[in-house]
């Protein structure tokens, strides 16, 4: 792997001239002018007529405070990119600075390339200004609509995680990551500095963090701006960086002065980076030491170059610059004059020619086409995404002679297949997880790869499967893993996140943001599809044997289902073969968030691989071998199930019913793809009403045993004909450290309770089978008493196997014609 | 305020003798013995018979790795507590170490005080061991069941936030906060070190963080154990601490050696704390400088004192000690012998007398009764919670001459009342929020208090409302604010958290944990009720004018509704007076999580204070003045609403219907307490079916305009008679930076669409009012076109007021007899 990292001395024209600095300053003024214009102006974009109140937008929406700093950094980085021919991405942690990024993209021409109606003339400027934060226009933050962005400016805290995710396996890429000092107070950002312990200095790219220390949030100073410089330096050194501190804007220094100081600082930092890369390359990817990467502290006033004072209150250098400093610009003469003076302070007449185009001498300072940051393909990952090479998952099938006759750990089987995925996709596939890859039984992948680890090593005896280069990323922070994975996917690669089901809630809000990103991206023709964000949630609610109540929460599915139907999918494969088929599908898909919940404990297996593929293709289906209905007749009751543990209990209940109520016609329906339950008008995977009624019947009792909170099944099915007959069992927030069967009983999803439900719900059974009902109730008490005495599940339960499956399994004949609605992807 | 902080020299017997150290070592051995016993032994607790496989639990569940370190720290802290008469809480960040905390509580007698059946003899030991991680017993983690705990061992990351929350306004309290080095990798923990910028060294207590650096997680080394000591020291200094590093257990040092070294270190640290407190007291609470607080790095082997090797693999000092090192203790002779040797290595015969009681010479090392950490009232906050003194909220009423005739910002009005709450409760009420107290319009409170801020100051012009002591806590980390508030409530105080609605999802998983804590606490007689956790969610989905799509998410309510009905409440007051009444109720309540969603923008006001109190008491009600039904007849259609913006639109739709379809009988129902919609069997606040049908009718179309995701209303009402007639509008994940009315239109909750819905759903209207329907559709297009052209809502919309309310309002006569179901608290 050759490095493109060059020192300034190796560049074509290494000296830093006054012309350079004048050019940068002009560019910065232009970017600031365009930023202010976007926030305030509805028309008269170059102020060629006297500013009139009707030129000002009636609703002033946006954020000025962080913008001039972002523009400054962008302008200077452009010089470095041009001189060193450096591929670079710009991550805007302070995402409020939307106008700045739009302005910079407009100045170098990218914006017009992407949005041709925003021309490089006065008319284009007018449209550029008007569209900002305007109905039918663009959002105020850095967003999918912003060329060059992979980082939504909304929720704060993920700038560095995204930056590192982008850098992994991109050895020639510089990721310039601006971190706001407000954002720096968030937890996720505070730990994400440690990402440098996971970055290989040969095979990954470089992240250059810049702490944008402008001192204020909405209404407060920031913590990092109000500790001593000594503490701040200690903190950054403690995080493993060499900090370089730049301060400007607080005194009368001329622009040439601070531009020169910053340009020299940045050159020095880039030379340090080049030296680090060179050293690491010599050491080699498997032996490189963790370098002490540089970072920059950029201490400048909030709202730099904006009004010093408004109405007698300090504005530049205070929280008053955070949003729109002149909120009444339209309403008072004085504020209108303030705005006019502010805009004119950038001397627009020197920046734009008569047509309104950026003057040629400024425009040519843009990086060469191809290296402009807004057009880097890494920021539109779909254009460089390569399909994964996937081993044939059917080769990894568990042999299931008949339903229930094999025992396997589903995620461990998945791990054997993922080993092949790892092997076949060395540089664009990684597995992320908070210290749980092995706990979730995916350790098979360590046959082919390691956990990437650039911190210190102790001894091979305790440092198993750690290496300086590997495709598994583990840090005990769901935020960090999620952020890394998002950055990795958004730059065109593939991956999955494995986590305990309960604690994936830690990233709820990050998932919300990613879902929003996908939804908006889908509406932008120029953004190409990226690989789906795949979750493997294991160690789930029913099997938290070691950890108990605090580790039991199946609610992530509910969160996901609130997102736009176009971007979310939820799968609950009941065994190993269905899990393989499901995951193969997920890794091939794009633009989705796929949530797969699967068990890791030894469990009975139900379907052969052929059956599994068919079942997963349909998303749900009748398991005729498990039921007792006769062909051509309608069942008396339907037992539905979704999730591995609920499926075991439903099959056990069906077995009990077969033995004890032989004339009862029972149908068993298993659901893998939860969205099939929904109406086809609500979700692309939804079944038609006709198909739903055919499977679940329009009028018979349905006892549905569900993995998660029961009401979700009601929500998904509330429009169905027979909805009022659907009775759902699921997790009702009862739990502790106990045996698996006790957990089932605590929440009434156990086989005995299901049989009681059937007796209660099927007309006529209540009287005839009062004795059986009592027997089931007693069985629950026995099981509980056994557990409380011996600390274990009763043997019959643990050793249960499907009784008549040997023959029944061969009878499986699902009518495929039933499944006509929805797509099957 | 007098300080109880004394130096060792001021203690009664300041010398540290070998007897002290022997005693501590014996205590530690006993705690370790009891910890191992809990994990492994079903019977034979003192090994007075040879260890037999049937003595071992059949399912070994729990975590050993962190436990011996916790026991060590606890034992040494006991000495300090005894000598200095120090009130102290112990926060167990590595909450997996449940057996350790139970053991320590058993040794000092607290456990038997709380659970008398766990006697201090062999029988009690047997019960102590058996109950651990056993069906019907206690969970494996530190939990509500653990005396002295305010910190569930489940999800990681909140140890320091909880510790600081406990310390605020507890000037005499030492909060000894053990942070696991796994936990230290989480985001929330990484930023929580900065809590020291918010702790007043005079009026708050002391947090002494101990980084429990045992080096390993489940399957990996920890980051902080694998950076250089220089970096670690820099990091802690950067966080504002003076680190004291203690290392033991990696060599052959005798116990006396390391016990003496640690005891001296701890004495030194406590003396430093005393000196800091003395200096700060001299400076005074309003002028005290932020001290550089000490912290301890406690570097010891994971699974210290456990088996060095098992099956030839290094176990002590490796991740192999994380859970249960001898998972097969019951199944192989060799492992059984390993277990026996391990237990015997603690020399139980020297620790317990013939009866199985702890020997007297060891038992007397416990802190005096009252100071034992397990019995501190701060750890069972309900016992010391004082009711808040609340100003009469009715005195803060907005004058509403008739519905819609006043305009107010609801949260700003709430702020005026909260000002009085702050004033009346100086030492047990705080407001927490991530830099959004003023943004959410609660800035009235700054008339009476400030934001507590112990970092540097710049100038009064920019540092408004900052002070070294204040009742508002702001840091840009929802995690931190939530953790602080939880710690504050759990130690017996009161507070609220104000946040943007969308970003409260950041703490989803913390809320889950707190809800679990409350649920379990409710089941423990000895835990007394603590103040409710109150959320004020403003800057909500419909009014994110500046921020757009990324800031729009009303899904927190859905998360909350998944929790146990006993502990969650959701309120959507439609105006200022209802918000006042709601919040007064919330601040008086205990053991709930109350979510209140309210707007901050100028909005029409509907109810006088008398009406508001009645309406809130009922939780929902018919607004007869807004409807057109005639007394004694049934309406043709019901317009339901919940949330301020949806309510405005429903009232506007009712107004349009009154004008355009004068013979249509419309009923308007507003819902404040969302749980009223649910069945009384599902939630204590639920309406009976009879009452629900009386209000919503069993058979008429209901158009329900809801603040959040529409399906929640279906979920809450799916058992209702007329459920299939309920048609819900709400947020359907459409948004951007745009005008408020455009937001309503994007999601079809606007008045025009509601009128169209009525025409579509009421039989017979479709044909008669096709023209009106078209007119409504055109009005939408006009409004959208106006917004896209002028960037503003159409004036008619903005200036809308309720037309006929002047008279109608006086006609309000709600039949109170309708509301008989549910409780009203």
């Amino acid at each position: 792997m050759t490095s493109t990292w060059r020192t300034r001395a190796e560049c074509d024209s290494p000296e830093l001239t006054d012309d350079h600095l004048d050019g940068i300053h002009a560019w910065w003024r232009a970017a600031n002018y365009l930023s202010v214009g976007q926030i305030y102006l509805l028309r008269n974009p170059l102020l060629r007529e006297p500013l009139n109140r009707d030129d000002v937008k009636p609703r002033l929406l946006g954020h000025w405070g962080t913008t001039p700093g972002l523009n400054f950094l962008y302008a200077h980085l452009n010089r470095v990119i041009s001189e060193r021919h450096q591929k670079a991405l710009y991550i805007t942690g302070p995402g409020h600075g939307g106008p700045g990024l739009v302005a910079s993209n407009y100045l170098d021409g990218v914006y017009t390339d992407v949005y041709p109606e925003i021309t490089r003339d006065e008319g284009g400027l007018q449209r550029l200004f008007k569209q900002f934060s305007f109905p039918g226009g663009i959002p105020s933050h850095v967003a999918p609509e912003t060329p060059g962005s992979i980082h939504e400016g909304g929720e704060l805290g993920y700038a560095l995680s995204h930056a590192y995710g982008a850098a992994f396996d991109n050895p020639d890429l510089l990721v310039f990551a601006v971190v706001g000092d407000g954002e720096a107070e968030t937890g996720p950002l505070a730990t994400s500095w440690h990402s440098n312990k996971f970055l290989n200095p040969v095979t990954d790219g470089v992240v250059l963090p810049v702490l944008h220390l402008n001192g204020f949030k909405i209404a407060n100073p920031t913590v990092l701006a109000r500790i001593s410089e000594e503490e701040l330096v200690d903190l950054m050194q403690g995080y493993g960086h060499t900090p370089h501190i730049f301060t400007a804007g607080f005194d009368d220094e001329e622009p040439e002065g601070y531009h020169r100081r910053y340009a020299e600082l940045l050159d020095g930092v880039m030379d340090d980076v080049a030296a680090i890369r060179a050293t690491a390359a010599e050491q080699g990817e498997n032996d490189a030491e963790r370098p002490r990467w540089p970072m920059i502290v950029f201490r400048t006033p909030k709202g730099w170059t904006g009004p010093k004072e408004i109405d007698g209150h300090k504005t530049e250098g205070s929280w008053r610059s955070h949003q729109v400093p002149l909120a009444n610009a339209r309403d008072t003469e004085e504020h209108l004059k303030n705005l006019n003076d502010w805009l004119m302070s950038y001397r627009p007449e020197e920046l734009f020619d008569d047509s309104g185009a950026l003057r040629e001498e400024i425009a040519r300072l843009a990086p060469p086409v191809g290296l402009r940051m807004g057009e880097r393909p890494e920021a539109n990952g779909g254009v460089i995404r390569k399909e994964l090479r996937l081993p044939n998952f059917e080769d990894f099938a568990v042999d299931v002679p008949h339903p229930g006759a094999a025992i396997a750990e589903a995620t461990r089987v998945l791990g054997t297949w993922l080993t092949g995925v790892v092997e076949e996709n060395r540089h664009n596939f990684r597995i992320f997880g908070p210290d749980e890859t092995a706990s979730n039984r995916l350790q098979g992948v360590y046959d082919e790869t390691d956990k990437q680890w650039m911190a210190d090593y102790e001894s091979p005896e305790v440092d198993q499967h750690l290496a300086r280069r590997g495709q598994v990323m583990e840090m005990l922070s769901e935020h960090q893993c999620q952020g890394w994975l998002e950055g990795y996917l958004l730059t065109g690669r593939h991956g999955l996140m494995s986590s305990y089901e309960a604690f994936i809630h830690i990233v709820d809000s990050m998932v919300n943001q990613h879902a929003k990103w996908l939804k908006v991206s889908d509406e932008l023709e120029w953004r190409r599809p990226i690989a789906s964000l795949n979750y493997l949630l294991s160690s789930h609610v029913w099997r938290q044997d070691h950890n108990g109540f605090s580790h039991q929460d199946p609610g992530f599915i509910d969160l996901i289902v609130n997102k736009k139907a176009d971007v979310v999918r939820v799968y609950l494969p009941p065994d190993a073969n269905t899990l393989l088929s499901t995951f193969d599908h997920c890794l091939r898909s794009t633009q989705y968030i796929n949530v797969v919940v699967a068990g890791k404990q030894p469990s009975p297996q139900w379907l052969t691989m052929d059956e599994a593929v068919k079942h997963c293709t349909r998303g749900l289906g009748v398991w005729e071998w498990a039921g007792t209905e006769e062909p051509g007749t309608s069942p008396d009751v339907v037992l539905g199930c979704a999730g591995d543990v609920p499926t075991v209990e439903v099959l056990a209940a069906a077995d009990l019913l077969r033995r004890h109520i032989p004339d009862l016609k029972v149908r068993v329906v298993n659901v893998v793809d939860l969205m099939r339950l929904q109406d086809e008008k609500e979700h692309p995977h939804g079944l038609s009403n006709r198909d739903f009624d055919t499977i679940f019947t329009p009028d018979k009792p349905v006892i549905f045993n569900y993995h998660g909170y029961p009401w979700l099944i009601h929500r998904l099915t509330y429009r169905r004909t027979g909805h009022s007959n659907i009775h759902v069992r699921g997790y009702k927030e009862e739990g502790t450290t106990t045996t698996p069967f006790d957990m089932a009983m605590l929440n009434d999803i156990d086989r005995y309770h299901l049989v009681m439900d059937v007796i209660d719900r099927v007309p006529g059974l209540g009287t005839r089978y009062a004795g059986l009902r009592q027997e089931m109730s007693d069985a629950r008490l026995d099981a509980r008493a056994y557990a409380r005495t011996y600390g274990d599940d009763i043997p019959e339960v643990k050793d249960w196997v499907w009784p008549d499956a040997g023959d029944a399994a061969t009878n499986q004949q699902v009518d495929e014609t039933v499944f006509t609605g929805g797509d099957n992807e």
Side-chain angles (χ1 to χ4, degrees), chain A:
Chain A
M1 208 161 298
T2 61
S3 168
T4 58
W5 303 87
R6 55 174 92 180
T7 62
R8 185 156 172 80
E10 293 163 344
C11 294
D12 300 334
S13 51
E15 71 282 12
L16 185 66
T17 67
D18 285 346
D19 269 1
H20 275 118
L21 302 174
D22 287 349
I24 289 172
H25 189 56
W27 187 282
W28 185 41
R29 279 158 44 218
N32 287 341
Y33 181 85
L34 295 181
S35 301
V36 181
Q38 289 176 76
I39 296 174
Y40 291 91
L41 296 185
L42 189 58
R43 56 192 196 189
N44 192 11
L46 288 169
L47 297 187
R48 290 188 172 162
E49 299 164 33
L51 184 66
N52 181 297
R53 67 179 292 282
D54 290 334
D55 297 337
V56 180
K57 295 182 181 181
R59 294 174 58 81
L60 296 172
L61 302 175
H63 295 79
W64 161 247
T66 188
T67 304
L70 294 174
N71 290 342
F72 185 99
L73 295 167
Y74 205 100
H76 276 268
L77 187 56
N78 275 341
R79 179 185 66 85
V80 165
I81 289 168
S82 298
E83 289 183 359
R84 301 184 192 227
H85 304 285
Q86 179 63 53
K87 296 179 199 164
L89 282 192
Y90 189 95
I91 303 279
T92 313
H96 280 340
L101 275 287
V102 170
S104 292
N105 276 310
Y106 179 80
L107 289 175
D108 66 17
V110 168
Y111 207 84
T112 305
D113 292 349
V114 176
Y115 300 107
E117 70 280 14
I118 308 295
T119 45
R120 292 163 71 77
D121 55 22
E122 187 166 358
L125 280 178
Q126 163 124 6
R127 287 186 286 277
L128 181 78
F129 287 5
K130 178 179 168 182
Q131 69 169 3
F132 177 81
S133 273
F134 205 82
I138 62 168
S140 56
H141 293 184
V142 180
E145 290 92 336
T146 317
S149 173
I150 61 163
H151 178 80
E152 176 104 28
E155 192 171 300
L156 299 172
Y158 318 121
L160 281 180
S161 298
H162 285 163
Y164 277 90
F168 294 139
D169 290 320
N170 259 332
D172 296 337
L173 187 68
L174 172 71
V175 187
F176 189 88
V178 186
V179 176
D181 52 351
E183 170 179 30
E185 294 178 18
T186 67
L189 200 290
T191 201
S192 65
W193 296 101
H194 289 299
S195 296
N196 55 27
K197 281 85 188 176
F198 298 86
L199 183 95
N200 186 296
V202 179
T203 56
D204 297 325
V206 172
V207 174
L208 177 55
V210 178
L211 179 62
H212 187 5
L213 203 66
N214 67 24
F216 294 94
K217 298 170 287 194
I218 308 181
N220 282 295
T222 60
V223 169
L224 295 187
R226 298 298 183 89
I227 59 176
S228 67
E229 190 165 299
E230 184 192 348
E231 278 186 351
L232 184 60
V233 167
D234 278 350
L235 186 63
M236 291 299 137
Q237 290 181 171
Y239 279 135
H241 283 290
T242 300
H244 298 262
I245 297 185
F246 175 79
T247 305
F250 297 100
D251 56 20
D252 295 335
E253 184 182 24
E254 292 296 317
E256 301 88 281
Y258 54 70
H259 284 302
R260 176 170 293 280
R261 286 194 296 113
Y262 181 75
E264 288 175 353
L265 182 152
L266 186 60
D267 275 332
V269 163
M270 288 300 296
D271 283 359
D272 290 348
V273 166
I276 286 171
R277 295 286 304 193
T279 303
E282 273 173 39
Q283 293 169 335
E285 63 181 68
N286 297 319
D287 299 296
E289 297 289 315
R290 171 167 64 94
R292 192 173 263 276
W293 293 102
M295 63 79 60
I296 297 171
V297 176
F298 183 73
R299 192 192 284 265
T300 53
K302 186 144 190 164
W304 194 12
T305 74
K308 300 274 182 212
E309 280 198 354
I310 295 173
D311 300 337
H313 291 296
K314 177 172 171 153
T315 303
E316 187 197 48
S318 96
W319 45 268
R320 296 187 187 89
S321 288
H322 180 75
Q323 280 185 351
V324 178
L326 286 162
N328 302 321
R330 194 183 162 96
D331 300 325
T332 79
E333 274 306 313
E334 188 187 342
H335 286 186
L336 196 65
K337 181 171 181 312
N338 288 154
L339 177 60
N340 184 70
D341 294 349
W342 179 9
L343 282 160
M344 293 306 289
S345 75
Y346 300 118
R347 290 172 272 146
E349 69 283 3
E350 296 177 13
L351 305 172
F352 301 96
D353 68 16
D354 288 348
S355 73
L358 190 67
R359 287 186 190 279
E360 174 54 30
E361 64 271 26
I362 305 176
R364 68 169 177 255
L365 299 171
V369 170
L371 288 176
R372 295 173 302 177
M373 286 187 277
E375 66 181 329
R376 285 304 309 162
E378 294 87 352
N380 184 8
V383 303
I384 47 173
R385 179 180 54 86
K386 293 199 184 97
E387 299 287 329
L388 284 177
R389 289 190 290 266
L390 296 178
N392 183 1
F393 66 92
E394 301 189 14
D395 297 344
F396 297 80
V398 174
D399 182 34
V400 183
H402 62 83
I407 298 288
E409 296 155 285
T411 55
R412 191 186 293 270
V413 174
L414 178 67
T416 61
W417 176 69
L418 286 175
T419 307
V421 180
V422 161
E423 188 183 3
E424 292 290 320
N425 304 276
R426 286 294 184 193
H427 300 288
N428 65 341
F429 177 76
R430 294 201 188 201
I431 296 171
F432 299 80
D435 191 31
E436 292 160 4
T437 306
S439 173
N440 287 331
R441 304 278 192 277
L442 302 181
Q443 63 267 63
V445 299
Y446 299 138
D447 291 347
E448 273 299 328
T449 192
D450 291 298
K451 293 174 277 193
Q452 186 157 314
W453 180 260
M454 286 296 302
D456 295 348
Y457 284 75
E458 192 178 304
S459 76
E461 169 70 356
V462 295
D463 294 339
Q464 289 184 354
H465 310 305
L466 298 182
R468 290 178 174 75
R469 158 100 184 98
Q471 287 166 266
V472 177
M473 307 299 299
E474 294 206 327
M475 180 172 168
L476 207 167
S477 165
E478 284 80 358
H479 292 114
Q480 183 85 297
C481 294
Q482 170 88 16
W484 285 345
L485 175 55
E486 288 176 1
Y488 200 66
L489 299 176
L490 285 161
T491 49
R493 284 78 64 78
H494 306 258
L496 69 95
M497 168 122 168
S498 107
S499 170
Y500 282 16
E501 182 185 35
F503 298 137
I504 199 68
H505 271 301
I506 290 171
V507 297
D508 275 3
S509 51
M510 298 182 77
V511 177
N512 284 343
Q513 297 297 317
H514 191 72
K516 285 172 184 285
W517 181 281
L518 292 176
K519 186 247 185 197
V520 175
S521 297
D522 279 342
E523 297 162 3
L524 297 168
E525 181 61 30
W526 63 273
R527 284 232 177 240
R528 307 307 305 147
I530 61 167
S532 296
L533 176 48
N534 300 304
Y535 291 101
L536 174 67
L537 304 184
S538 194
S539 309
H540 62 54
V541 57
W542 300 108
R543 296 304 303 271
Q544 272 297 344
D545 306 4
H546 277 266
N547 294 303
F549 194 41
S550 67
H551 285 51
Q552 292 159 351
D553 189 306
F556 188 67
I557 297 172
D558 300 69
L559 181 100
I560 286 291
V561 175
N562 270 350
K563 303 292 105 189
K564 273 283 169 191
D566 295 340
V567 299
V568 295
R569 304 286 183 267
V570 178
Y571 302 96
L572 294 151
D575 67 3
N577 288 340
T578 49
L579 176 60
L580 283 169
S581 174
T582 299
F583 235 90
D584 177 79
H585 172 74
C586 292
L587 287 187
R588 293 177 191 278
S589 72
T590 59
Q591 290 290 104
Y592 297 145
I593 296 172
N594 294 311
V595 177
V596 182
V597 183
K600 69 181 186 184
Q601 304 289 351
S603 301
Q605 303 294 302
W606 310 113
L607 303 186
T608 67
M609 185 48 89
D610 278 355
E611 291 162 355
V613 170
K614 280 186 196 151
H615 189 54
C616 291
T617 304
R618 292 175 194 128
L620 88 184
V622 177
W623 283 1
E624 294 196 0
W625 50 267
T628 49
E629 60 181 318
E630 288 153 35
T633 67
S634 176
D636 300 315
V637 64
V638 177
L639 298 181
C641 50
D644 60 346
V645 169
T647 296
V648 171
E649 293 305 315
V650 153
L651 291 173
D655 177 54
L656 288 165
L657 290 169
R658 178 193 297 260
R659 294 167 196 256
H660 294 288
I661 316 183
D663 57 341
L664 184 73
K665 288 176 285 176
V666 176
R667 175 180 294 177
V668 173
V669 177
N670 179 269
V671 179
V672 178
D673 175 352
L674 206 60
M675 297 299 105
R676 296 292 271 168
L677 294 179
Q678 215 166 1
D679 194 289
E680 61 188 334
K681 291 193 281 290
E682 297 279 330
H683 194 283
H685 285 197
L687 280 183
S688 71
N689 274 328
R690 188 173 66 87
D691 291 345
F692 188 92
D693 289 350
T694 306
I695 294 170
F696 287 101
T697 79
D699 54 359
K700 292 296 165 25
V702 178
I703 314 292
F704 199 104
N705 217 28
Y706 172 53
H707 172 85
Y709 293 111
W711 29 80
L712 183 63
I713 300 301
H714 288 296
R715 168 178 159 184
L716 295 174
T717 59
Y718 78 92
R719 295 190 171 181
R720 300 304 189 177
T721 319
H723 173 248
S724 58
N725 303 314
I726 302 179
H727 182 68
V728 187
R729 294 284 170 197
Y731 182 65
K732 50 183 193 179
E733 202 72 16
E734 292 291 343
T736 182
T737 319
T738 190
T739 69
F741 195 69
D742 196 38
M743 268 302 293
M745 287 195 295
L746 282 171
N747 293 279
D748 298 338
I749 71 157
D750 62 282
R751 58 199 65 183
Y752 304 130
H753 210 288
L754 296 176
V755 171
M756 291 160 66
D757 284 339
V758 169
I759 293 171
D760 292 346
R761 304 253 154 196
V762 176
L765 293 189
T767 327
R768 274 173 64 204
Y769 289 97
L772 177 61
R773 196 184 187 290
Q774 187 60 47
E775 206 179 304
M776 294 294 106
S777 179
D778 291 345
R780 281 166 57 86
L781 295 176
D782 289 348
R784 179 152 296 162
Y786 185 91
R788 274 158 174 57
T789 308
Y790 300 102
D792 207 357
D793 284 342
I794 57 173
E796 298 92 311
V797 170
K798 202 166 60 177
D799 299 339
W800 175 86
V801 290
W802 184 248
D804 304 324
D807 297 321
T810 61
N811 295 330
Q812 187 182 15
Q813 289 172 359
V814 182
D815 181 4
E816 294 203 36
T817 62
V818 166
F819 303 90
T820 54
D823 70 21
N824 292 322
E825 297 177 278

